[in-house]
Amino acid sequence: GCGKTGVLTLAPFLPGLRRKQRCLLLSPSLTILVELARNLSGKGGKGGKNFFLRHGFLPETQSEELPRCAVLSSDADLAVSLEHGAQFKAVSLQLEAERVLRELAACRVVLCNWQALVESKLWTHLRDRKFFDLLFIDEAHHSAAQGYRRVREHFADADICLVT
């Protein structure tokens, strides 16, 4: 399909948004997060292809040009459960915060759920309020919750896209 998952996968790279440095894509559940991650990863989508390759946005020969992405999770097994290519990382929130920040700084898109982010050690180290300049919130009807508000307020200068 090319529904909401397609929109969330492509949106950070659309003209006008492409100028943004780093996008945070928040999802309320691990199931949705994994689906989005697989569609962004080099090998995890339907038929073994990422969304860009499956729908012809990039030819197979340019698969190394896939955007660098990361999934943040407190679930140590998540990295094992995701198939990922060279442009995709699963980053454990159980790592030292400074190491996590270095890993994320090299990525264009970071996926996580707000609970994992706000309740982690990393949250206190995210002092740079401009670290993310584009926020996507999936299942936007949840965005009024206190945790989402904390993220939105922290990155107040970021452009926000709510999707439901």
Side-chain angles (χ1 to χ4, degrees), residues 33-35 37-38 71 77-84 88 90:
L33 187 70
V34 168
E35 179 64 24
R38 287 190 171 147
V71 169
D77 295 328
L78 181 63
V80 176
S81 71
L82 287 173
E83 298 175 31
H84 50 282
F88 184 82

Side-chain angles (χ1 to χ4, degrees), residues 23-25 27 29-30 32-41 68-75 77-79 81-84 87-95 100 103-104 107-113 116-117 122:
C23 169
L24 176 63
L25 200 159
S27 174
S29 78
L30 189 57
I32 295 170
L33 187 70
V34 168
E35 179 64 24
L36 289 168
R38 287 190 171 147
N39 274 282
L40 278 165
S41 74
R68 292 186 55 86
C69 302
V71 169
L72 272 177
S73 176
S74 54
D75 182 351
D77 295 328
L78 181 63
S81 71
L82 287 173
E83 298 175 31
H84 50 282
Q87 298 297 89
F88 184 82
K89 293 183 157 268
V91 180
S92 172
L93 283 167
Q94 297 171 4
L95 296 173
V100 173
E103 295 274 358
L104 299 185
C107 294
R108 175 75 174 86
V109 178
V110 175
L111 299 93
C112 70
N113 63 37
L117 179 62
L122 177 66

